[in-house]
Amino acid sequence: MKVLTHLCLLIGASNAFEFPFAIPFFSAKVPSVQVDSPPLNVTPRIAIIGAGAGGSSAAFWISKAKERFGLDVEVDVYEQSSYIGGRSTVVYPHDDTSLPHIELGASIFVNANKNMWRASEEFNLTRDDFSAEDNDLGVWDGENILLSFAGGWWDTLKLMWRYGVLSPKRAQTIVDRMVAQFQRLYSDKTLNWDNIQDIASSFGWDELVAQTASEYLQSKGITRKYAHEFVEATTRVNYGQNADFIHMLGGAVGLAATGAVGIKGGNFLVFEQFLKRSGANGHLNTTVLSITHHDSSHDWTVETTSGTKRYRGVILAAPYHSSKIQLPSTLASQIKPQPYVHLHVTLLTTNSSTFNPTYFNLPLSSKVPGMMLTTDENRRQGGRGPEFNSISYHGKAGENEWAVKIFSKERVSDEWLERIFPGSVTWVFRKEWDAYPELPPTDSFPPVKLDTGFYYVNAFEPLMSTMETETISARNIVDLLLNERFGSSICGRRLSAHAEEDSGTSAQAPLSSSNTDTDFVYGWDC
Ligand SMILES: Cc1cc2nc3c(=O)[nH]c(=O)nc-3n(C[C@H](O)[C@H](O)[C@H](O)COP(=O)(O)OP(=O)(O)OC[C@H]3O[C@@H](n4cnc5c(N)ncnc54)[C@H](O)[C@@H]3O)c2cc1C
Ligand SMILES: *[C@@H]1O[C@H](CO)[C@@H](O)[C@H](O)[C@H]1NC(C)=O
Ligand SMILES: *[C@@H]1O[C@H](CO)[C@@H](O)[C@H](O)[C@H]1NC(C)=O
Ligand SMILES: *[C@@H]1O[C@H](CO)[C@@H](O)[C@H](O)[C@H]1NC(C)=O
C-alpha cells in the first residue's frame, strides 16, 4: 500500500437539507421573506468578498445560472490583495519566473475532487502528477527516523512489521467509506444544506467529527502506534495538528491521498479562470470594510475602500474574523471565534541534493528520505519532539539546485537551516499563513446563512478545509442565494427523489445516485 505518499486532501461531505426549488425557503429558523422588487431599470447586484477558491467559484456558479436561465444580475468580486487565489498562490525561486514555480499555500488535489478536476479539463490547464515524482518518505520523531518508505515490496514488509496488517487495512476501510460518501456531493440527488451539522449527519459522519483521530481509530481496533505515528504524520503535514487533537474527518482527509496532482503553473490558474469566465467585475486591491442593512429592505450596503454600493445578495468567501469586516452586532455575534493554525512556510533552494544526515542522527553516508514527515509521539512520551511539521524536496529549481518546502509552527532561523543544509542554502522565502481552522472534535459549526441574502462560504472550513470543498460550499451557497433572492438556481428546479413527499427520508438518501454516469458533476452538467 502506498499510502501516505502524498498527503492529500479530499474529502467531502455532503448534504443534507432538502430544498425543492419551488417552495420559498426552508430553514426552520429563518422565515421566508418577500423579495423586494428592484428599483426600476437597475440590474440587481451580488457582492462576493474574497477571490480565493470560494469567491472565484461562487462567481463562476452564478454565471452558470445567467448562461442557462438568463438570470439578470451583476456581480462584483472584492479582493483586498493584489492577486487572485487567496491561500492558493505561487512563488518563484530567486524571483525568477523562468524557474518552476513553488506553491506557497494549497498545493495538491486529487481525482475525487471533481470540481478542480473538471475545471482543469474545461480550462485546458495541465496537471502535474506528483505521485509520479517519487520521493522516499520518512517519519521523524525528534530523535529517530521511525520509518522510511519508498513504496517497494521491502518497504511494505517493513511497514507491516511495524504496524501489522490489520491497522492499515482497517484505516483504509474507514477512509474509503468516507471518500465514497464524499462523491455524493456531486450527485444531482444531493440536496442543498443550510447548516454544516446536517451535512455531516446525513453522510454518517457525526462520529468522525465528534472524536479525535486517535480516539476514533483506536475505537475501531487500530493500534495507538499506527494512529500516533503513521496517521499523525499525515495530520501534521496536512493540517499542522496532532492525531490526538484533530477530528477524525480531518484525519481521514489526510489519508485519502491517492494520485495527488497540481496545476502546472499554479493552482491559482483555476481560480483566475473561474473569475474571468464568470464575467464578474473583479476589484483587486479593494478591501471590504463593512456590510450593513440597506434601510428596511432586505438589501445590503457594502462599504469598500473604493466606495459604497447596494446589493441584493452578499457572499462572504473569506474567514470572517480575519476579514476584519464590520457587521451589525446581531450578525457578528452568530459567528463564534474560530482559531486558525498559524503556519510558517519556509521555501528555499539548495545545491545539496539531500538533507544533512547528521541532523537526523544518521551516519554521513546515509541516504535521507527526501520527504520527512513527523510525529509528536516521542514528545508525548517525555522525549524530544520534532522542530518542524514537515520538510520536503520539491524537484529541481535550476541547473544544480533543488527546491525545498518546510512547514513549522515556529519561524525557522537561518542558523537552523544551516544545520540541515550546511553551506548550501542559496535562497530563502518565508511566509506566515492563518492556514486552516483548528479542527478539534465539535458538534457546532458557523452558520451557512447569516441573514436574508447573506451567506458564508467559509462556514464549511471547520468540517473540511480544501480548495475543492470551498468550491462545493460556494456552489451550495449560490443555489441558496439565487433561490431565495432571485427565484433561480444553478441548474434550474431539481427534479428528484427529493420532492416534498420523501423529504422525511432524505437523510437516508441512497448512496448511489440514479445518475450512473460517474463523470456527472452537479453544477457543470446539471
Ligand atoms: C500552506 C497551506 C497548504 C495548504 N495545502 C492545501 C492543499 O494541498 N490542498 C488543498 O486543497 N488545500 C490546501 N490548503 C487549504 C486551502 O488553501 C484553503 O482551504 C482554500 O484555499 C481556502 O479558499 P477560500 O477561498 O475559502 O479562502 P482564501 O483562499 O483565504 O480566500 C479569501 C480571500 O479573501 C480576501 N479577503 C479577506 N478579507 C477581505 C476583505 N475584508 N475585503 C476583501 N477581501 C478580503 C483574502 O485576501 C483572500 O484572498 C492549504 C492551505 C495552506 C495555507
Ligand atoms: C494592486 O496593488 C499592487 C501593489 O500596490 C500594484 O502593483 C497593482 O498594480 C495593483 N493592482 C490593481 C489591479 O490595481
Ligand atoms: C482547449 O484546447 C483545445 C485543443 O487545443 C481547443 O480545441 C479548445 O477550444 C480549448 N478550449 C478552451 C476552453 O480554451
Ligand atoms: C553550494 O552553494 C554554496 C553557496 O553558494 C557554495 O559555497 C558551494 O560551493 C556550493 N556547493 C556545491 C556543491 O555546488
Side-chain angles (χ1 to χ4, degrees):
M1 322 181 311
K2 177 146 183 181
V3 212
L4 273 221
T5 324
H6 293 146
L7 356 159
C8 261
L9 304 180
L10 31 136
I11 305 296
S14 129
N15 122 339
F17 240 79
E18 189 70 353
F19 143 24
F21 274 83
I23 61 169
F25 192 64
F26 52 86
S27 161
K29 286 165 292 186
V30 188
S32 65
V33 299
Q34 182 114 40
V35 174
D36 315 303
S37 26
L40 284 178
N41 302 326
V42 175
T43 302
R45 286 187 292 249
I46 295 174
I48 297 174
I49 298 125
S56 64
S57 62
F60 184 73
W61 298 124
I62 294 169
S63 73
K64 288 286 175 191
K66 296 173 81 164
E67 186 182 303
R68 289 173 184 144
F69 309 110
L71 172 68
D72 184 27
V73 64
E74 197 175 314
V75 178
D76 287 322
V77 179
Y78 294 110
E79 170 55 56
Q80 69 187 359
S81 70
S82 58
Y83 67 92
I84 293 164
R87 275 170 274 168
S88 200
T89 189
V90 302
V91 161
Y92 298 90
H94 306 286
D95 263 336
D96 179 350
T97 53
S98 70
L99 295 175
H101 71 278
I102 314 177
E103 293 283 0
L104 187 56
S107 51
I108 56 169
F109 58 97
V110 295
N111 181 260
N113 294 164
K114 292 191 175 183
N115 289 336
M116 291 296 293
W117 203 272
R118 181 66 174 268
S120 67
E121 302 267 308
E122 302 249 338
F123 304 162
N124 275 352
L125 298 169
T126 308
R127 289 181 302 267
D128 282 327
D129 185 351
F130 301 127
S131 55
E133 158 197 303
D134 258 325
N135 261 342
D136 293 359
L137 185 91
V139 178
W140 165 249
D141 75 356
E143 293 185 31
N144 295 293
I145 294 178
L146 302 182
L147 177 71
S148 66
F149 189 71
W153 62 272
W154 172 243
D155 293 294
T156 306
L157 277 185
K158 279 196 305 194
L159 203 66
M160 280 165 47
W161 181 253
R162 189 167 182 91
Y163 299 117
V165 212
L166 285 180
S167 286
K169 222 171 130 186
R170 286 172 178 153
Q172 192 61 51
T173 304
I174 292 163
V175 171
D176 288 349
R177 208 180 301 139
M178 188 275 297
V179 173
Q181 290 291 63
F182 185 77
Q183 295 306 304
R184 287 173 57 191
L185 284 166
Y186 305 105
S187 159
D188 55 355
K189 294 290 179 278
T190 293
L191 311 170
N192 288 83
W193 56 90
D194 76 346
N195 78 66
I196 307 291
Q197 293 92 313
D198 289 339
I199 304 166
S201 297
S202 75
F203 281 178
W205 289 350
D206 289 327
E207 239 194 317
L208 295 179
V209 181
Q211 289 183 278
T212 66
S214 169
E215 284 164 358
Y216 182 89
L217 290 168
Q218 290 180 73
S219 78
K220 301 291 175 200
I222 288 149
T223 62
R224 172 185 167 116
K225 201 179 175 72
Y226 189 75
H228 283 200
E229 293 179 5
F230 192 83
V231 175
E232 182 158 283
T234 68
T235 61
R236 286 171 60 86
V237 67
N238 281 313
Y239 285 129
Q241 296 162 68
N242 288 342
D244 62 351
F245 179 86
I246 194 171
H247 58 58
M248 183 58 208
L249 193 62
V253 173
L255 287 168
T258 21
V261 300
I263 299 292
K264 196 181 204 61
N267 293 322
F268 74 95
L269 292 170
V270 168
F271 310 128
E272 275 193 0
Q273 287 295 316
F274 276 152
L275 261 193
K276 185 170 157 218
R277 287 159 192 262
S278 76
N281 312 308
H283 306 274
L284 294 178
N285 295 342
T286 308
T287 302
V288 171
L289 303 170
S290 73
I291 303 171
T292 49
H293 291 284
H294 186 274
D295 303 331
S296 57
S297 71
H298 290 286
D299 285 0
W300 295 94
T301 300
V302 175
E303 180 202 0
T304 75
T305 46
S306 64
T308 296
K309 273 200 225 172
R310 174 179 180 171
Y311 291 93
R312 181 169 295 176
V314 175
I315 295 175
L316 176 54
Y320 164 63
H321 296 95
S322 59
S323 77
K324 307 264 168 42
I325 295 170
Q326 214 181 320
L327 295 182
S329 59
T330 49
L331 285 191
S333 63
Q334 287 181 52
I335 317 174
K336 286 189 302 184
Q338 172 59 63
Y340 272 65
V341 172
H342 192 76
L343 188 75
H344 291 253
V345 176
T346 308
L347 307 179
L348 60 87
T349 56
T350 169
N351 58 14
S352 168
S353 61
T354 168
F355 305 126
N356 178 11
T358 310
Y359 177 87
F360 295 103
N361 301 330
L362 294 172
L364 270 178
S365 57
S366 316
K367 184 171 183 307
V368 190
M371 172 180 267
M372 195 67 81
L373 306 185
T374 58
T375 163
D376 222 14
E377 187 63 354
N378 195 47
R379 193 202 306 276
R380 279 187 293 260
Q381 307 291 345
R384 264 171 66 87
E387 298 173 295
F388 57 90
N389 295 350
S390 64
I391 179 168
S392 47
Y393 273 85
H394 282 266
K396 281 272 191 175
E399 189 73 356
N400 189 31
E401 280 185 298
W402 288 264
V404 171
K405 187 186 288 193
I406 305 171
F407 288 171
S408 58
K409 274 250 151 71
E410 314 287 339
R411 181 180 194 276
V412 300
S413 64
D414 291 346
E415 296 70 34
W416 190 84
L417 292 177
E418 218 19 60
R419 290 168 58 202
I420 307 242
F421 305 101
S424 68
V425 174
T426 49
W427 169 82
V428 184
F429 183 94
R430 292 181 171 88
K431 165 78 183 173
E432 294 173 44
W433 291 108
D434 284 321
Y436 9 67
E438 288 183 1
L439 302 165
T442 181
D443 60 1
S444 91
F445 292 92
V448 168
K449 174 173 179 165
L450 298 171
D451 200 341
T452 303
F454 191 175
Y455 292 85
Y456 185 31
V457 175
N458 301 68
F460 208 91
E461 277 198 85
L463 187 69
M464 283 181 281
S465 174
T466 66
M467 296 182 284
E468 178 71 13
T469 45
E470 290 301 281
T471 69
I472 290 170
S473 179
R475 186 196 70 200
N476 177 61
I477 270 164
V478 165
D479 261 347
L480 297 178
L481 172 63
L482 296 186
N483 183 64
E484 182 190 32
R485 297 294 276 154
F486 299 86
S488 186
S489 69
I490 300 168
C491 285
R493 177 188 296 230
R494 289 194 199 190
L495 324 160
S496 82
H498 291 298
E500 260 165 303
E501 67 277 13
D502 46 321
S503 61
T505 61
S506 62
Q508 285 84 46
L511 241 176
S512 57
S513 142
S514 65
N515 195 320
T516 49
D517 176 2
T518 52
D519 294 333
F520 178 90
V521 187
Y522 178 66
W524 296 89
D525 302 307
C526 283

